[in-house]
Amino acid sequence: MNKKNIMVNGREVPVCVVHTLVIGSGAAGLNAAIQLRNQGIEDVLIISEGLNMGTSINTGSDKQTYYKTAMCGGDQDSPYTMARNYFDGGSMHGDLALVEASTSARAFLNLVNLGVPFPQDPYGQFVGYKTDHDPAQRATSIGPYTSREMCNALIRELKRQNISIHEKTYCVSLLTDGEGDAKRAVGAIAQNENAEFVAYAADNVVFAVGGPGGLYETSVYPNVHTGAIGIALLAGAMGQGLPEAQYGLASTKFRWNVSGTYMQVIPKFVSTEKDGESDPREFMRDYFNSVGEMNSMVFLKGYQWPFDIRKVVGGSSIIDVLVYIETQIKGRRVFLDFRENPQDFKFEDMSQEAYDYLKNSRAFQDTPLARLEHMNPSAISLYNDNNIDISVEMLEIAVCAQHNNGGLAANHWWESTNVKHLFPVGEVNGSHGVARPGGSALNSGQVGAFRASDYIAARYKQSSLDYNAFVVAAEKELAGLETFMDNCRNSSADWRSQRQELQSRMSRAAAHIRSEKGLEEALREAEKMWQDISIGGCRVENPSQAIQALRNRQLVFAHLVYINATLFQVKSGAGSRGSAMVKLPGGVVAHDMLDSNEWSFQSEDTQFRRKVLETIAAPDGSCVSRWVDVRPIPESELWFENAWADYRAGKIYG
Ligand SMILES: Cc1cc2nc3c(=O)[nH]c(=O)nc-3n(C[C@H](O)[C@H](O)[C@H](O)COP(=O)(O)OP(=O)(O)OC[C@H]3O[C@@H](n4cnc5c(N)ncnc54)[C@H](O)[C@@H]3O)c2cc1C
């Protein structure tokens, strides 16, 4: 790493010159830095908000899942079989599916070797279970905190290898040089904890900033995590599948998915007025023919966690719709009460499946709390650890954003498809399509880290950075950032209100319930907001909040691009798919007891599963989206002697 300075508006800005800059230290970024070093790239630097920031180290779920190739029993698995399962989810490129499948074992065993205690049997088999969209038993878990333990193991390795990291360093811009096919990354600008700008000149940028958690009001992304995809979109990097995401029921005071046993013990769903007390009602009762039917749906929600449009009519996802209506449409608040059964609750009224499950689990205790205590006591202590005692208070919930299947577009070496030397890895990479097997997000992040580092070591080891081009790009960007910060000093728009406004717009119009009209209106508002912040910035109270203003800048831009892409998808007629309902009067009626004008939806046009939505934005906020055909699962040279020769000649890097 080399240190230099550049002058901007008469002020010196420090520059770090590094071969490969990794932005972000979640599970994906950490592994990228480690694998780069393993591949012989010595000059690696991570910049990050902090090792304890981001989603991976701060989140989990009932049984947080890692998806990998099957490694136990007589189950037959292969890269092609697994790739086919990914690919069949729809709108996922076949080459990416094949790589996520073929590199899965390598990525998983790396974690095992670093000490992540994935369960084995006495004979070394990594025992698996089935997760959603998974026909084989490919899923594994170490409990609620799989991704946290992955990070801890990777951080130990990072320290052992003495890889440099700048924490409390907030990336605010990506720097590029050239246009068209010659466009490439040359570095980044960040703010340090004293709100001073620092520039990084880099041959390669591994962009590992996580999912767009800061875009939503109702969100189960950890509070500390906003993500930064807007920075790359602003730099012109192409997005793909941006509208595809996962939403589901989660507690909001402490953000946690209320999946699995939280539902299987059949808590009472209650809604109240805004104050959280007045007019308590078991609002779901009106929508089911019997209490038994209602409770059976709640039970099913346990393992049908994400909102899934195919499970709305007559299925468990109607619960997400009903919760949404209470919270977003009626402006009430929704809680789970574990202290009492739903009114008229009887075990024998429930479906055979639910009844048998509770019977086999010996879970016929009197209250949901007692059943939870019996089946999964750590589900209670988890809330206690976060100052919520569900034995004395109700648990507030909402339908929350959890994961973005889409993100930045990259090729099968995880290099951006239109900005060379930029490698989006982890959740910010939009490799997944409409539906993905549970746990494949963590697999994809590890796989992407291997692929990017393999490619950088093979093709980009020799420096090709034009330092003068970096200086030109950095000076221009820094001048713009300084102007933005000057505008912020005189702005009347409070950063918190602005953040809240964009988040509520996304949750209202571009989350799991969408409509053309709602998106059109949201787009007009988002465009105006982008114009306003570009000209006038937003007000911060002190210099330490400067980063919030710059976060707003990228979030406002990102929300504009997401809304634009989502509207394009809706107008194309792709219809309701994955975790999103597109409302359409005259369409499929969601539920007999809901107003059919309001609660009908467009069915899916499945031909769009064979296409991927690409979106590219310009700094003025204009966006161009288009559908491209999915690339098929490639046929590869599998005759060993020939494959070996190609490998030795470096032909595999294209
Ligand atoms: C509640 C919940 C449950 C989940 N359960 C599962 C599951 O069971 N299985 C599964 O596969 N996936 C699951 N996921 C998804 C999965 O956890 C994430 O996709 C994954 O952890 C993301 O890892 P990442 O490394 O890409 O990003 P992150 O872990 O979010 O890391 C991003 C890093 O970038 C840094 N960063 C961001 N912006 C900047 C910036 N501007 N400057 C500097 N640094 C920056 C952050 O501080 C952080 O270090 C779940 C997600 C949630 C929210």
Side-chain angles (χ1 to χ4, degrees):
M1 199 184 336
N2 241 316
K3 299 217 163 155
K4 301 190 178 188
N5 287 310
I6 48 176
M7 294 296 286
V8 179
N9 292 341
R11 256 190 288 173
E12 275 194 346
V13 174
V15 179
C16 274
V17 186
V18 62
H19 182 277
T20 298
L21 179 70
V22 178
I23 304 174
S25 58
L30 288 167
N31 193 35
I34 291 166
Q35 298 314 326
L36 281 158
R37 181 60 68 77
N38 287 346
Q39 295 274 6
I41 306 293
E42 288 299 317
D43 191 15
V44 179
L45 169 70
I46 302 181
I47 61 170
S48 169
E49 295 166 332
L51 283 170
N52 59 352
M53 303 289 276
T55 299
S56 312
I57 204 159
N58 286 298
T59 202
S61 61
D62 203 33
K63 189 163 78 180
Q64 199 189 10
T65 303
Y66 189 99
Y67 196 64
K68 47 132 194 65
T69 192
M71 293 181 181
C72 74
D75 289 344
Q76 293 202 333
D77 206 355
S78 70
Y80 266 80
T81 315
M82 187 170 170
R84 174 60 56 193
N85 298 142
Y86 276 133
F87 188 70
D88 287 348
S91 297
M92 179 175 192
H93 287 302
D95 51 351
L96 305 184
L98 184 55
V99 172
E100 293 201 2
S102 66
T103 314
S104 155
R106 180 182 176 198
F108 174 71
L109 292 171
N110 174 58
L111 293 169
V112 172
N113 292 341
L114 290 178
V116 183
F118 286 111
Q120 301 176 44
D121 78 351
Y123 308 101
Q125 301 191 87
F126 289 98
V127 185
Y129 57 91
K130 271 191 189 182
T131 171
D132 41 327
H133 309 295
D134 166 29
Q137 297 191 326
R138 298 195 182 107
T140 183
S141 172
I142 60 167
Y145 291 113
T146 303
S147 56
R148 174 179 296 178
E149 285 314 310
M150 286 165 55
C151 286
N152 288 336
L154 291 161
I155 289 168
R156 284 195 298 274
E157 180 64 9
L158 190 84
K159 292 190 172 155
R160 196 186 67 74
Q161 294 200 8
N162 215 6
I163 296 173
S164 305
I165 174 161
H166 292 177
E167 294 189 76
K168 295 191 177 159
T169 302
Y170 308 93
C171 177
V172 295
S173 299
L174 276 181
L175 300 175
T176 63
D177 177 43
E179 293 300 327
D181 288 348
K183 185 164 177 158
R184 61 162 293 172
V186 292
I189 307 285
Q191 258 193 343
N192 64 20
E193 59 183 314
N194 303 318
E196 296 154 344
F197 289 120
V198 193
Y200 293 87
D203 261 89
N204 305 292
V205 176
V206 176
F207 196 63
V209 295
L215 288 185
Y216 300 93
E217 183 175 37
T218 48
S219 162
V220 66
Y221 284 92
N223 257 322
V224 294
H225 181 72
T226 51
I229 191 172
I231 291 172
L233 294 170
L234 255 169
M238 184 182 285
Q240 76 182 9
L242 294 176
E244 309 302 338
Q246 249 185 19
Y247 308 90
L249 292 180
S251 57
T252 49
K253 194 160 138 199
F254 167 61
R255 293 177 171 195
W256 197 253
N257 294 349
V258 285
S259 55
T261 30
Y262 290 110
M263 291 291 130
Q264 284 155 343
V265 299
I266 327 285
K268 182 163 84 174
F269 277 67
V270 177
S271 79
T272 70
E273 292 289 343
K274 276 229 149 66
D275 62 9
E277 286 175 8
S278 323
D279 189 24
R281 296 190 55 232
E282 281 193 55
F283 65 98
M284 294 211 306
R285 294 206 58 189
D286 303 344
Y287 301 99
F288 292 92
N289 295 322
S290 69
V291 180
E293 189 194 354
M294 176 182 86
N295 292 334
S296 304
M297 286 301 171
V298 171
F299 171 84
L300 274 183
K301 193 103 256 312
Y303 51 87
Q304 297 180 347
W305 181 78
F307 174 71
D308 180 345
I309 190 64
R310 291 166 310 176
K311 299 192 179 91
V312 168
V313 180
S316 63
S317 284
I318 193 65
I319 293 176
D320 303 73
V321 175
L322 298 177
V323 171
Y324 175 86
I325 291 173
E326 289 297 298
T327 52
Q328 294 282 330
I329 310 283
K330 297 188 184 167
R332 287 167 66 85
R333 291 167 70 181
V334 173
F335 299 86
L336 301 181
D337 192 343
F338 289 91
R339 297 163 303 176
E340 284 176 19
N341 288 319
Q343 200 183 342
D344 302 328
F345 172 83
K346 286 199 196 95
F347 289 110
E348 44 293 359
D349 286 348
M350 289 199 301
S351 66
Q352 198 63 44
E353 183 185 10
Y355 182 86
D356 288 346
Y357 178 88
L358 292 173
K359 184 169 170 226
N360 292 338
S361 310
R362 299 198 191 106
F364 282 152
Q365 290 76 10
D366 285 345
T367 62
L369 188 68
R371 296 193 280 278
L372 198 55
E373 178 80 60
H374 170 72
M375 286 207 285
N376 188 0
S378 61
I380 301 172
S381 54
L382 177 115
Y383 279 108
N384 281 330
D385 294 346
N386 290 283
N387 303 321
I388 299 173
D389 183 353
I390 60 171
S391 70
V392 297
E393 62 182 300
M394 298 196 295
L395 185 65
E396 183 158 15
I397 59 159
V399 187
C400 293
Q402 189 235 17
H403 181 266
N404 196 185
N405 288 1
L408 299 176
N411 67 15
H412 65 290
W413 291 103
W414 266 242
E415 184 176 29
S416 160
T417 48
N418 70 329
V419 183
K420 294 207 166 52
H421 297 263
L422 173 67
F423 292 83
V425 303
E427 190 174 330
V428 77
N429 181 301
S431 64
H432 313 283
V434 180
R436 61 175 182 87
S440 57
L442 291 176
N443 176 61
S444 174
Q446 297 306 291
V447 166
F450 272 99
R451 296 295 286 185
S453 46
D454 283 1
Y455 193 82
I456 290 169
R459 278 300 170 97
Y460 292 157
K461 196 164 189 172
Q462 290 301 323
S463 176
S464 62
L465 179 72
D466 175 352
Y467 186 73
N468 291 333
F470 156 79
V471 172
V472 171
E475 286 177 350
K476 183 168 173 233
E477 189 63 24
L478 280 160
L481 290 168
E482 300 246 353
T483 308
F484 178 81
M485 292 315 299
D486 283 345
N487 294 340
C488 289
R489 284 181 257 286
N490 305 316
S491 176
S492 57
D494 167 54
W495 75 265
R496 283 195 186 81
S497 323
Q498 204 174 54
R499 180 87 51 95
Q500 207 278 328
E501 185 188 325
L502 77 90
Q503 290 176 337
S504 93
R505 181 173 303 122
M506 283 294 289
S507 286
R508 191 182 66 244
H512 70 301
I513 308 285
R514 304 164 179 180
S515 71
E516 191 170 326
K517 190 162 158 271
L519 282 161
E520 269 169 349
E521 190 186 315
L523 182 58
R524 278 194 297 277
E525 293 166 358
E527 283 171 342
K528 163 97 177 40
M529 191 180 235
W530 175 240
Q531 250 177 23
D532 289 349
I533 194 169
S534 302
I535 297 166
C538 61
R539 193 179 67 248
V540 291
E541 282 122 41
N542 52 57
S544 69
Q545 287 182 0
I547 185 58
Q548 301 295 358
L550 285 160
R551 269 197 194 123
N552 273 16
R553 178 172 172 263
Q554 64 91 4
L555 285 170
V556 170
F557 190 74
H559 103 298
L560 161 60
V561 181
Y562 273 72
I563 291 172
N564 199 311
T566 308
L567 177 60
F568 180 89
Q569 175 156 320
V570 167
K571 281 187 162 168
S572 312
S576 307
R577 60 187 209 165
S579 207
M581 171 190 283
V582 177
K583 285 163 97 182
L584 181 72
V588 182
V589 177
H591 194 283
D592 293 349
M593 289 174 224
L594 288 171
D595 174 0
S596 61
N597 271 332
E598 189 56 27
W599 289 102
S600 299
F601 61 90
Q602 188 176 17
S603 36
E604 178 179 1
D605 181 345
T606 50
Q607 64 155 327
F608 285 92
R609 290 207 172 211
R610 296 191 294 275
K611 295 178 189 299
V612 174
L613 182 68
E614 290 184 344
T615 303
I616 195 155
D620 66 0
S622 55
C623 300
V624 177
S625 289
R626 61 172 189 167
W627 292 99
V628 296
D629 290 341
V630 286
R631 299 190 291 268
I633 299 176
E635 294 295 329
S636 189
E637 171 61 86
L638 294 181
W639 185 258
F640 183 79
E641 311 306 335
N642 297 348
W644 190 14
D646 286 353
Y647 178 74
R648 286 199 311 268
K651 286 189 185 164
I652 63 164
Y653 302 105

